[in-house]
Amino acid sequence: MNRKNARRRAVTDPSANEALNLFEELSILIDQQGIALDRAPTLPALPLASLLEQCESFVDNISTQNGHFAMLWAMPGAPELSRAWWASRFPAVGVWRMSAKEDDSAGLANWMKQQRAAQRPFVVIATPDIVLPTELRPDAEALLLRHPYKAFHTATLGGTTLTSFCEKLAEQLAHLEGIDSFQSDGSVDVYEWVSSALGLPRSLQAGSESLAPEIGPIHVPPYFNGGKSYETLCERLGYEADRLPEPSARAPEAPVLCSSHNSSSPERPAVISTFLERAARLYSAYNPDSPPLDLSAVRDALDHCATDRGENFLDTFDRVCDQLTHIDQGLAHLAAAEHFSLLGERMNALSFIGSALSFSSPKAPWLSILAAAAYANLNVKGGTLRALAADALASDVLDTTTKENLFGIVTSTAGEDTKDHGHSLLLSGLSKEDLLHAERTKLLVEIGTTRELVPGQGSTQKLAQFCFQNGLDFLTVDMDPRNTRNAARMFFHQGLPFKAVCAKGEDFLKKYDGVIDYIFLDAYDFDHGNHSEVRQDRYVKFLGSRIDEIACHEMHLLCAKELKEKLAPDGLICFDDTWVSNEGTWTAKGTLAMPYLLENGFAVISEKNNAALLRRARKVS
């Protein structure tokens, strides 16, 4: 039957129509795959294989290819560990992420059986510390390497050293000897490897994309010496011990937000559609008699943000959010948090969740629950508790005593997953000062306004609240206008009579002609090798370059020189992110500034939380 007659018959015969569609799809697949016919010499009497036979052969070929199992090991922090990374590139491939904390070999085995029964190719991804059960043997296996220094900063939250981390990692890699390995710091094309290992037909592929580099060439800071084990591991894996890898020539793609209405495009994964569905369900549960929640404004706002390159996302987001209702602003922040969470940008995700809570209200309790769920998905126990209690702690809900008791319980319970920072050291020192009997209103200045509202941090808000309660004046300074705007909004909403200034800290101190009583120095970041691209972009935009170690040291030294002259005789300086190295020298932000202050009449009165508190020890001539 020719194609024209077949199409005419399909109009009245649905089964024939289905068969014809399958026939045409297979024809297209054959053309795309470029399958060659058997060109070996044959007897003249034998006819060439018909197109139908080619289709049958091709279907059999796909059936044998599907169900293949590839095992991909990856160093800690590699983007390929994220399910979202795989979903956006391999929509036809099943993915199982093994976790040492959630070892479920039986569940994995059952899942693998399901994938094979469905003739679906699949990949199991894991970190090197996991030992694959002997009965699960992959068809293909590879190890994605990462620079040990970056893997350390990504994998650890404290409590260990680079040396011990490298020793342990070397042990974990022992059972992976002999398998193919390649570096995933910007040069490897994981897409091509998976496609090749699984024998994926072209029609199942989502579009080739090399792994974008996360960071440019940066020298490993000399104060963070990993020792012999670190150097040995770098040599074994093919990395330089004193330099992070060069980025690939391909420019990184801008982060793309996409909602459910255009998720059909394989180039734009629906990274917020899950959140939008969750929000709609929760709203309906709280408001069963109301119309469904209209999320179109939130969806359109975030899609608008996606049209800008990554360096403009934060500014675009702020501008767009100002045009939304109070509730929609909270939803937009939570949707952005979902986006950054799936991109692996944990700090940005946490910051957006924290900002979303400022829009919560007892009139919309479901918004706080959404924030609690977002914290829970990131395993932030303290943030989850605070979000759940946010409405109860709001003004005019509970009496003062009950609210204080509830706040104390939440705070003490939440403290288990937070870590004290430098501002805690300053607040501890200020609590010992006689602030109530001062002859004049004293001033506390913060150089480096809070940029990310992360549980346990948020120095600007905590310092401002302390100053308000103890009769101090407060002023916060930052080079990023977004941080200044957010601080000013926070002061307004909380009724705090303080100012936020947008300026470089050293410039502000140079021009300031008054007396500063207390100061918290937490400005230009030191280069620990694990800053997000969002943060790096802000430095490029407002300072002209990425975070630079030398610039960090010099900036804080300039601040120290100004404070020598302008700090009150009984004043305090709190230096965040600085400590004494194993070699006995001050490092990180205070590398140059701390020795200068100690040589010019200041003494350290307390050290804690990688911070130092100083006071004048003697009068300087």
Side-chain angles (χ1 to χ4, degrees):
M1 182 184 299
N2 63 34
R3 188 182 298 264
K4 184 176 181 180
N5 291 335
R7 178 58 68 188
R8 186 178 297 119
R9 175 184 171 185
V11 174
T12 57
D13 188 345
S15 61
N17 185 51
E18 182 178 352
L20 181 61
N21 289 337
L22 177 61
F23 181 85
E24 291 178 341
E25 289 176 4
L26 289 173
S27 299
I28 295 172
L29 287 174
I30 290 173
D31 292 339
Q32 293 177 340
Q33 192 75 358
I35 295 178
L37 299 175
D38 186 357
R39 301 302 183 187
T42 59
L43 295 175
L46 291 178
L48 293 175
S50 68
L51 184 60
L52 179 60
E53 289 173 333
Q54 292 182 48
C55 291
E56 292 174 347
S57 174
F58 187 67
V59 171
D60 291 339
N61 187 35
I62 293 180
S63 297
T64 58
Q65 289 174 345
N66 285 357
H68 275 204
F69 164 29
M71 187 73 201
L72 192 64
W73 308 93
M75 296 264 282
E80 299 82 12
L81 291 179
S82 167
R83 284 191 179 95
W85 190 93
W86 289 86
S88 65
R89 292 159 177 79
F90 303 97
V93 176
V95 176
W96 181 286
R97 164 93 182 261
M98 291 191 72
S99 170
K101 297 180 180 179
E102 301 175 1
D103 185 14
D104 184 12
S105 300
L108 172 60
N110 291 332
W111 178 81
M112 291 173 64
K113 290 179 181 178
Q114 295 173 4
Q115 304 304 307
R116 285 188 167 127
Q119 297 184 343
R120 186 185 189 196
F122 58 97
V123 174
V124 175
I125 55 177
T127 48
D129 56 320
I130 295 174
V131 178
L132 194 68
T134 55
E135 64 271 16
L136 304 180
R137 297 183 178 178
D139 301 313
E141 195 170 11
L143 169 64
L144 281 175
L145 302 178
R146 199 164 194 242
H147 195 289
Y149 185 74
K150 294 184 68 176
F152 168 76
H153 278 290
T154 304
T156 61
L157 296 176
T160 186
T161 64
L162 180 60
T163 299
S164 59
F165 173 81
C166 290
E167 290 174 348
K168 186 175 181 180
L169 183 59
E171 296 175 2
Q172 295 170 352
L173 291 172
H175 75 284
L176 300 178
E177 291 284 358
I179 71 170
D180 292 336
S181 63
F182 38 85
Q183 297 179 358
S184 64
D185 296 89
S187 57
V188 68
D189 194 335
V190 182
Y191 181 90
E192 290 297 334
W193 181 86
V194 173
S195 300
S196 175
L198 297 178
L200 294 178
R202 289 303 243 178
S203 60
L204 297 182
Q205 298 180 7
S208 180
E209 179 179 345
S210 295
L211 176 63
E214 297 178 14
I215 202 166
I218 295 177
H219 289 282
V220 175
Y223 57 80
F224 214 90
N225 188 351
K228 187 63 178 177
S229 62
Y230 165 70
E231 296 173 357
T232 301
L233 187 61
C234 286
E235 181 179 0
R236 172 186 167 188
L237 301 180
Y239 289 103
E240 296 181 57
D242 62 345
R243 183 181 293 273
L244 296 183
E246 298 282 344
S248 66
R250 176 177 295 194
E253 296 292 330
V256 176
L257 284 167
C258 176
S259 50
S260 55
H261 75 293
N262 56 9
S263 60
S264 59
S265 172
E267 291 80 20
R268 301 190 69 193
V271 297
I272 65 169
S273 58
T274 302
F275 166 76
L276 295 177
E277 294 168 2
R278 186 189 313 138
R281 288 196 305 269
L282 191 58
Y283 175 82
S284 296
Y286 270 84
N287 303 275
D289 299 327
S290 300
L293 180 64
D294 184 359
L295 291 164
S296 58
V298 174
R299 180 197 65 201
D300 293 342
L302 293 182
D303 283 339
H304 177 72
C305 292
T307 62
D308 277 342
R309 298 293 299 177
E311 62 267 23
N312 295 323
F313 175 84
L314 296 179
D315 294 325
T316 304
F317 182 87
D318 289 345
R319 185 174 64 255
V320 170
C321 265
D322 283 341
Q323 304 172 23
L324 300 178
T325 66
H326 200 71
I327 292 298
D328 279 350
Q329 287 188 55
L331 288 169
H333 279 79
L334 290 174
E338 177 96 346
H339 166 69
F340 282 110
S341 176
L342 291 174
L343 285 181
E345 294 280 2
R346 179 181 174 86
M347 291 293 286
N348 287 303
L350 290 174
S351 180
F352 273 99
I353 299 172
S355 297
L357 277 174
S358 65
F359 299 99
S360 65
S361 163
K363 297 180 180 179
W366 49 274
L367 190 61
S368 298
I369 294 177
L370 283 173
Y375 275 133
N377 287 337
L378 291 172
N379 197 31
V380 181
K381 300 175 184 177
T384 305
L385 287 174
R386 292 189 191 90
L388 290 174
D391 296 328
L393 293 172
S395 58
D396 302 327
V397 175
L398 300 174
D399 61 86
T400 302
T401 302
T402 304
K403 187 161 60 174
E404 289 178 352
N405 290 338
L406 177 60
F407 180 77
I409 292 173
V410 170
T411 302
S412 60
T413 306
E416 63 189 41
D417 66 350
T418 60
K419 166 187 158 183
D420 282 336
H421 291 262
H423 62 264
S424 299
L425 179 62
L426 175 58
L427 292 175
S428 176
L430 289 173
S431 66
K432 301 173 184 177
E433 298 288 297
D434 185 8
L435 302 176
L436 298 179
H437 298 90
E439 296 180 355
R440 59 178 175 80
T441 299
K442 294 196 173 185
L443 171 66
L444 190 158
V445 174
E446 177 187 45
I447 304 295
T449 306
T450 295
R451 70 187 136 213
E452 292 146 348
L453 296 177
V454 178
Q457 300 185 31
S459 61
T460 302
Q461 182 174 354
K462 294 181 180 180
L463 292 175
Q465 290 173 341
F466 178 91
C467 290
F468 184 70
Q469 294 166 0
N470 291 273
L472 300 179
D473 198 3
F474 178 68
L475 193 151
T476 184
V477 181
D478 197 272
M479 61 88 180
D480 190 330
R482 183 174 193 263
N483 301 337
T484 304
R485 286 197 305 268
N486 288 340
R489 287 172 180 167
M490 182 267 292
F491 293 158
F492 176 78
H493 289 305
Q494 297 190 9
L496 300 174
F498 302 135
K499 294 180 180 179
V501 176
C502 184
K504 293 196 294 183
E506 64 273 34
D507 292 346
F508 169 82
L509 291 176
K510 184 175 182 179
K511 295 178 181 179
Y512 187 76
D513 58 1
V515 176
I516 297 173
D517 297 281
Y518 313 112
I519 190 162
F520 182 54
L521 289 176
D522 185 24
Y524 197 117
D525 287 294
F526 71 101
D527 180 16
H528 51 62
N530 197 38
H531 290 296
S532 70
E533 284 303 308
V534 174
R535 182 176 295 186
Q536 293 279 11
D537 287 338
R538 305 304 283 183
Y539 274 77
V540 171
K541 182 172 183 179
F542 297 108
L543 296 181
S545 64
R546 295 165 72 90
I547 295 171
D548 180 80
E549 194 74 9
I550 296 176
C552 167
H553 300 163
E554 292 178 344
M555 178 270 171
H556 287 95
L557 176 60
L558 291 174
C559 290
K561 291 181 177 180
E562 294 296 331
L563 290 172
K564 174 192 170 186
E565 307 297 331
K566 296 177 180 178
L567 190 76
D570 59 345
L572 292 174
I573 299 176
C574 185
F575 230 118
D576 198 14
D577 294 324
T578 191
W579 61 91
V580 178
S581 68
N582 294 332
E583 290 75 25
T585 58
W586 288 96
T587 188
K589 293 182 179 179
T591 297
L592 299 179
M594 286 297 294
Y596 174 85
L597 291 171
L598 295 176
E599 293 169 1
N600 284 272
F602 287 84
V604 175
I605 60 175
S606 182
E607 294 179 59
K608 189 180 179 182
N609 309 329
N610 286 342
L613 189 63
L614 301 94
R615 167 164 271 159
R616 294 187 194 274
R618 55 185 173 81
K619 190 172 182 180
V620 182
S621 57

